[in-house]
């Protein structure tokens, strides 16, 4: 049964009180069984962890049988970056495969999902031995979800790049910082990297594309401790998911070990990557199948690391568009510069390894 739709639009710039009124009224109109709930009986709690959208947990306090929900209000102009109709179709497909929170309602600039009572991983926890095997196995399962068409990574980067070049900022300090970006140089880097990645043998998969710590949950029962790590692992937030490259999803995930503070000293070394890869490659294999060879692991490392450079480019360009349109208090221009700086820092090593391993001239 498709989720109910309401035409209301919730402005991101509204006051806290107006936002609460709009969200609670929306829930009582759209969600089954909520029509008789008094608005005063609903508790709103902000959900933190992202830098694009407004996320709010709505809890009915007095009505047995009604479960809390998560209301997501899409960020300003994020439709420039995300095909929302395609995203919704993919969410329904993923729900049927056991991924993501169930979509229970939709509105003009957002949707309502079942709230998952869960522990959200922290960036430093993604590399922990108790989580690495589970993340690797679940990512392998996600990569097995059927996908149609061709990978969209490079067309997306180029579309965003053309959009970014044409931006203008009302904020004079932002405009001055933006004016210092050498777009001609960045375009050369993008085309050079694409030419290398195009020669790297990587699997085409259904790719999450944004597997940061805040999108990895350990779902728990409501009455269990918040830090319980024994529940079912779940990935959420498939806004950027699409047909893509295995290497990009792996490299992007490893980049996210750094967190939003961009501590790239956390990027996994060879030993840590190989541990992850062993769990990833063995996840859908019977026990009697031989473990991955060192050659397989070395090739996957080279593939992952060169696509990690593409991840820096992807989010570096994305950040420029967010800098122009997002009302969220985050220095997107600084973040873009940081991603490009890390790209240039790791490029010589990662490109040289890929060329050596795959015989690229």
């Amino acid at each position: 049964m498709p989720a109910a739709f309401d035409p209301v639009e919730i402005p991101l710039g509204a006051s806290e009180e107006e936002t609460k009124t709009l969200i609670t009224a929306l829930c009582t109109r759209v969600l089954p069984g909520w029509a008789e709930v008094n608005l005063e009986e609903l508790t709103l709690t902000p959900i933190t962890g992202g830098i694009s959208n407004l996320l709010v947990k709505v809890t009915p306090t007095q009505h047995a049988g009604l479960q809390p929900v998560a209301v997501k209000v899409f960020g300003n102009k994020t439709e420039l970056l995300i095909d929302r109709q395609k995203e919704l179709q993919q969410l329904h497909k993923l729900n049927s495969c056991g991924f993501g929170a169930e979509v229970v309602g939709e509105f003009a600039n957002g949707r309502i999902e079942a709230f998952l009572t869960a522990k959200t991983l922290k960036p430093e926890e993604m590399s922990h031995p108790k989580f690495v095997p589970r993340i690797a196995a679940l990512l392998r399962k996600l990569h097995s979800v059927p996908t149609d068409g061709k990978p969209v990574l490079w067309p997306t980067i180029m579309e965003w790049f053309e959009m970014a070049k044409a931006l203008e900022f009302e904020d004079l300090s932002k405009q001055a910082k933006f004016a210092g970006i050498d777009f001609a140089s960045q375009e050369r880097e993008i085309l050079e990297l694409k030419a290398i990645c195009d020669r790297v043998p990587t699997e085409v998969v259904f790719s999450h594309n944004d597997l940061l710590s805040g999108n990895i949950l350990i779902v728990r029962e409501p009455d269990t401790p918040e830090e319980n790590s024994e529940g079912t692992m779940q990935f959420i937030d498939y806004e950027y998911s699409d047909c893509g490259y295995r290497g990009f999803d792996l490299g992007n995930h490893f980049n996210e070990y750094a967190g939003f503070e961009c501590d790239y000293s956390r990027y996994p070394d060879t030993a840590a990557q190989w541990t992850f890869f062993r769990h990833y490659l063995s996840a859908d294999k019977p026990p009697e199948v031989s473990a991955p060879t060192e050659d397989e692991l070395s090739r996957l490392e080279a593939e992952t690391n060169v696509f990690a450079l593409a991840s820096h480019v992807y989010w570096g360009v994305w950040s420029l568009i967010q800098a122009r349109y997002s009302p969220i208090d985050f220095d997107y221009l600084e973040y873009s510069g940081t991603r490009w700086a890390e790209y240039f820092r790791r490029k010589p090593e990662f490109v040289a390894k890929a060329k050596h391993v795959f015989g690229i001239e």
Side-chain angles (χ1 to χ4, degrees):
M1 181 177 176
F5 175 81
D6 190 285
V8 70
E9 182 168 330
I10 299 175
L12 280 177
S15 67
E16 183 177 343
E17 190 61 33
E18 182 183 359
T19 299
K20 178 179 180 180
T21 299
L22 288 169
I23 288 177
T24 52
L26 167 69
C27 290
T28 60
R29 290 195 303 270
V30 167
L31 300 176
W34 288 53
E36 302 304 318
V37 179
N38 292 324
L39 301 189
E40 295 75 19
E41 295 176 330
L42 297 177
T43 302
L44 271 64
T45 310
I47 301 172
T48 59
I51 56 172
S52 301
N53 308 299
L54 172 67
L55 288 168
V56 178
K57 176 186 178 183
V58 184
T59 306
T61 55
Q62 301 293 328
H63 291 262
L66 296 183
Q67 300 301 314
V69 296
V71 177
K72 173 181 284 190
V73 183
F74 301 144
N76 284 349
K77 299 292 184 179
T78 52
E79 69 275 7
L80 296 174
L81 303 166
I82 301 163
D83 182 337
R84 293 298 182 185
Q85 192 57 42
K86 183 177 183 180
E87 177 199 9
L88 187 61
Q89 293 171 354
Q90 292 186 152
L91 274 175
H92 288 307
K93 178 173 76 170
L94 289 165
N95 284 170
S96 69
C97 296
F99 287 98
E102 181 186 2
V103 178
V104 295
E106 303 166 37
F107 55 101
N109 64 328
R111 65 174 172 268
I112 308 172
E113 299 176 357
F115 179 79
L116 300 177
T117 301
K119 165 188 168 60
T120 303
L121 292 196
K122 302 179 181 69
E124 60 272 19
E125 290 180 309
M126 291 196 290
S127 60
H128 194 285
K130 70 180 177 182
F131 294 125
V132 163
R134 301 172 68 183
I135 295 171
L138 190 58
L139 187 57
R140 181 71 166 186
K141 181 182 176 183
L142 179 67
H143 286 172
S144 300
V145 171
T147 184
D148 301 322
K150 297 180 179 180
V152 300
L153 174 64
W154 298 107
T156 297
I157 288 176
M158 294 312 301
E159 179 183 348
W160 291 355
F161 188 73
E162 291 302 316
M163 200 183 305
K165 287 194 298 184
L167 292 173
E168 294 182 357
F169 292 79
E170 296 176 0
D171 184 307
L172 295 181
S173 62
K174 286 185 178 180
Q175 182 62 39
K177 192 171 184 178
F178 178 78
I181 298 172
D182 186 345
F183 282 105
S185 174
Q186 287 189 356
E187 185 167 13
R188 288 193 296 271
E189 292 293 333
I190 293 170
L191 295 176
E192 177 188 343
L193 181 62
K194 179 183 183 301
I196 295 169
C197 288
D198 283 347
R199 299 187 62 186
V200 172
T202 182
E203 292 181 7
V204 173
V205 298
F206 184 85
S207 180
H208 187 286
N209 292 335
D210 192 19
L211 198 56
L212 46 74
S213 61
N215 290 336
I216 304 174
L217 307 183
I218 307 297
V219 182
R220 60 182 176 83
E221 294 299 320
D223 56 350
T224 56
E226 186 174 348
E227 289 302 308
N228 177 32
S229 60
E230 303 305 318
T232 302
M233 180 171 284
Q234 181 64 271
F235 296 159
I236 60 167
D237 199 351
Y238 293 89
E239 288 186 313
Y240 298 95
S241 303
D242 212 320
C243 180
Y245 301 107
R246 173 184 67 177
F248 180 86
D249 224 13
L250 291 167
N252 184 75
H253 175 62
F254 290 161
N255 279 337
E256 294 298 348
Y257 282 20
F260 290 130
E261 62 270 30
C262 298
D263 181 1
Y264 289 109
S265 66
R266 295 176 184 159
Y267 191 86
D269 60 15
T270 294
Q273 288 193 38
W274 283 27
T275 296
F276 188 101
F277 297 152
R278 287 189 182 98
H279 290 291
Y280 174 87
L281 294 172
S282 303
D284 54 358
K285 303 285 194 306
E288 62 271 17
V289 174
S290 300
T293 65
E294 288 195 359
D295 181 65
E296 288 177 296
L297 295 170
S298 180
R299 290 173 69 84
L300 186 51
E301 179 189 5
E303 169 194 334
T304 295
N305 287 342
V306 78
F307 272 100
L309 298 177
S311 161
H312 288 306
V313 170
Y314 183 90
W315 296 113
V317 175
W318 171 90
S319 296
L320 297 179
I321 300 169
Q322 291 285 46
R324 171 61 183 85
Y325 295 113
S326 176
I328 294 174
D329 184 17
F330 184 83
D331 193 340
Y332 291 101
L333 286 175
E334 181 70 21
Y335 185 69
S336 177
T338 300
R339 297 303 297 251
W340 275 103
E342 184 64 10
Y343 164 88
F344 283 112
R345 189 178 78 87
R346 302 310 297 260
K347 178 189 174 185
E349 174 191 355
F350 289 170
V351 168
K353 179 70 178 290
K355 287 183 173 181
H356 172 73
V357 169
F358 300 114
I360 300 171
E361 298 297 331

